[in-house]
Amino acid sequence: MNNQTRVASIGELETSFQRELATDRWAAAETAFALATRNRDDGDWEQSREWVAQCLRILAGFPGETEEQAATTRVSVGGVLLPNYLHEGVVRGRFGQLA
């Protein structure tokens, strides 16, 4: 997903996620967050819940003691704005009961 401002389809985001999972796990966490957001916004609560869980699993493998360690590397993914920092607390705060 090179154009970060274009709204990507969920299928395109899923393809990006699979590629990133093998090459850049932080980018995969950001894309999982975007997928959770897109599915939630589309009303697909079950898929959103699954992407929240995936995002949290990936984030568990990263240190998050400093802002630098939790800072996102992109402003948006597939048209979904990312928070400035990505860690468990942010994900749980954004998704509430879905987390």
Side-chain angles (χ1 to χ4, degrees):
M1 196 82 338
N2 291 347
N3 184 347
Q4 297 174 3
T5 58
R6 184 179 75 80
V7 176
S9 71
I10 288 175
E12 289 172 314
L13 287 172
E14 289 173 348
T15 298
S16 292
F17 173 80
Q18 292 301 325
R19 183 179 59 251
E20 292 163 352
L21 194 57
T23 61
D24 183 346
R25 290 184 61 78
W26 185 259
E30 293 177 345
T31 301
F33 181 91
L35 279 158
T37 301
R38 286 289 307 281
N39 279 285
R40 180 196 62 198
D41 292 352
D42 287 353
D44 191 339
W45 309 113
E46 195 57 41
Q47 281 296 307
S48 181
R49 184 174 290 111
E50 289 180 28
W51 284 110
V52 167
Q54 183 72 267
C55 183
L56 290 171
R57 276 191 296 274
I58 295 168
L59 289 174
F62 287 97
E65 291 83 35
T66 68
E67 288 182 355
E68 184 177 276
Q69 292 170 329
T72 52
T73 60
R74 300 177 280 183
V75 174
S76 68
V77 173
V80 175
L81 291 177
L82 296 176
N84 292 329
Y85 302 101
L86 190 56
H87 55 78
E88 180 182 359
V90 168
V91 174
R92 291 190 185 285
R94 286 281 174 102
F95 292 98
Q97 293 181 341
L98 294 174

